Amino acid sequence: MNRTTCAALWCLSICFALAASSPPLLSPPTSLRGTAQGSGILVGAAVRPAQLSEPAYAATLAREFDMLEPEDALKWETLRPDPQTFDFSQADAIVDFATRHNMKVRGHTLVWHRQNPAWLTNGSFTPEQLANLLETHIKTVIGHYRGKIFAWDVVNEAFDEGVRTGQLRSTIWSDQPGIGDAGMGAAYIAQCFRWARQADPYALLFYNEAEAEEVGRKSDAVYAMVRELKKQGVPIDGVGLQMHIGDQVPDIASISANIARFTALGVQVHITEMDVSLPVDGAGNATGDDLRKQADIYRRIADACLDHSGCSAIQTWGFTDKYSWIGSHSKHTRGAALPFDGNYQPKPAYDALRQALARGR
Ligand code: 9MR
């Protein structure tokens, strides 16, 4: 579809939508999601439920993105206040928003060593009890969203912190005491993917990792694990590369080579949590020069993804500098990490992202 036809269709959809008081069927061609149409790539953002009632937040999210992911609402800490309860209220609100605005939903995350409730981490469970708890959790949560969540980060950050490590972490799920596969490497991870597939045969199942974007010891270890899981017939469909970028300038050639080797294994790659944090002043502002460098990083990462047909989504971790984990995490010395500023105005990073999407594959 050319730009003129696309714009005409969009105007038509607005007229119908206004007449029917429902949201537009198509997004503006100039939005990120409108620009990405036809490239076979989804453009997503992580979302906090409390903000959905803020008109500018909701309008920007719906206009610009065709995928979203609950930032914290699907973690154990939120879903499982006590062993008997599944509290889906926050995540349901996000999924409803996505449905109303024709957006896909990524689920994050079923197995992680952080943001687990105290009753779980302080409990003294046997491996068998833990295995039962985890199987029930995975199957209940995926089952609740069957047909609504198209892709899941089944397991998140199972490897030790740091790009130069390549060891699986010691966690409640692996060997403290673990679900029964302690000392057997990634066997517990394989088990989680199998449970996930049983719960929804159609959802895409991802392994999501931090600090594994470039080729290096940690990404080598993730690559070896995914290759082995595929060889064993474990149902894994994708790898999430988080892409939290700080003061290190990313090596784009290395990121591109990494995406190439993962997709060559027959799994998709999603960029799952991109942000590019900058030094900020007391008012949270970055310099113009840094904002331009940031834009360049956004453009080049988007290009690296678009260069590989198996790289099928780019998602930012939030979308407005008004709400981002970076501030509290850095004692507010860093921030301004996202494509929209705190007043929902597009930054140079937004334009760069849109230009990359317009170029397409
Ligand atoms: O953005 C999330 C923040 O609200 C939470 O407080 C934090 C707790 O660890 O987790 C943040 O999200 C993380 C994500 O779930 C996994 N990858 C790293 C993200 C940033 O810490």
Side-chain angles (χ1 to χ4, degrees):
M1 194 186 318
N2 65 32
R3 267 180 180 278
T4 321
T5 325
C6 188
L9 274 176
W10 179 65
C11 290
L12 260 180
S13 81
I14 290 281
C15 297
F16 280 124
L18 286 176
S21 323
S22 62
L25 300 172
L26 294 175
S27 331
T30 52
S31 67
L32 296 177
R33 66 185 286 179
T35 306
Q37 265 165 27
S39 293
I41 194 160
L42 294 161
V43 195
V47 170
R48 297 180 177 176
Q51 268 77 58
L52 291 176
S53 54
E54 189 182 322
Y57 184 97
T60 310
L61 179 64
R63 185 185 71 233
E64 298 292 336
F65 299 94
D66 54 10
M67 179 175 87
L68 56 68
E69 173 169 316
E71 183 169 340
D72 293 304
L74 283 169
K75 293 171 179 171
W76 273 76
E77 186 181 69
T78 315
L79 286 178
R80 307 296 304 277
D82 60 63
Q84 286 75 40
T85 306
F86 286 84
D87 179 358
F88 290 113
S89 54
Q90 290 192 31
D92 281 355
I94 296 175
V95 172
D96 285 351
F97 182 93
T99 309
R100 277 186 277 118
H101 297 284
N102 195 21
M103 306 163 94
K104 293 206 168 199
V105 184
R106 287 191 96 259
H108 173 85
T109 176
L110 298 157
V111 186
W112 196 23
H113 60 284
R114 302 191 62 179
Q115 287 182 280
N116 289 320
W119 65 260
L120 176 67
T121 48
N122 298 340
S124 46
F125 298 102
T126 64
E128 196 190 1
Q129 287 169 328
L130 267 184
N132 282 334
L133 269 171
L134 188 54
E135 178 178 2
T136 302
H137 182 83
I138 289 174
K139 292 188 172 172
T140 306
V141 178
I142 294 190
H144 182 81
Y145 292 109
R146 201 172 320 157
K148 293 187 174 166
I149 291 192
F150 86 110
W152 279 98
D153 288 336
V154 178
V155 180
N156 186 46
E157 298 171 16
F159 284 84
D160 275 337
E161 208 122 345
V163 283
R164 276 181 271 282
T165 64
Q167 302 301 315
L168 283 168
R169 254 180 227 273
S170 173
T171 74
I172 186 172
W173 308 119
S174 63
D175 61 1
Q176 294 178 36
I179 62 167
D181 296 326
M184 295 164 66
Y188 83 98
I189 295 174
Q191 183 57 67
C192 295
F193 277 86
R194 291 195 187 98
W195 285 330
R197 181 63 98 227
Q198 286 165 18
D200 185 348
Y202 299 109
L204 297 173
L205 306 180
F206 276 68
Y207 175 76
N208 192 49
E209 188 55 271
E211 304 167 313
E213 291 82 8
E214 297 177 7
V215 173
R217 200 173 287 175
K218 186 166 182 178
S219 67
D220 286 353
V222 175
Y223 175 78
M225 176 185 78
V226 174
R227 190 181 51 194
E228 185 57 26
L229 292 176
K230 291 286 289 178
K231 209 164 101 191
Q232 291 170 13
V234 175
I236 178 169
D237 304 300
V239 171
L241 302 177
Q242 293 187 3
M243 212 64 74
H244 293 290
I245 296 172
D247 47 12
Q248 300 274 25
V249 178
D251 179 342
I252 304 290
S254 184
I255 291 173
S256 186
N258 200 30
I259 295 174
R261 68 173 171 168
F262 276 113
T263 54
L265 286 178
V267 294
Q268 297 185 33
V269 166
H270 284 178
I271 309 292
T272 49
E273 305 185 12
M274 183 162 179
D275 48 26
V276 182
S277 70
L278 302 175
V280 289
D281 63 18
N285 294 317
T287 66
D289 197 34
D290 278 348
L291 290 172
R292 280 186 291 278
K293 287 185 192 149
Q294 177 187 58
D296 194 49
I297 293 175
Y298 268 98
R299 179 197 339 274
R300 293 167 72 210
I301 297 288
D303 281 345
C305 179
L306 286 156
D307 281 347
H308 303 279
S309 58
C311 187
S312 47
I314 300 181
Q315 177 169 260
T316 50
W317 204 238
F319 58 94
T320 164
D321 291 337
K322 192 169 180 181
Y323 306 112
S324 160
W325 71 290
I326 300 280
S328 53
H329 193 74
S330 67
K331 300 202 172 82
H332 300 279
T333 58
R334 299 186 71 84
L338 292 161
F340 289 89
D341 72 13
N343 296 314
Y344 299 97
Q345 294 306 304
K347 293 162 59 183
Y350 172 87
D351 295 328
L353 208 44
R354 195 156 59 81
Q355 282 158 15
L357 293 167
R359 183 184 68 88
R361 295 207 189 260

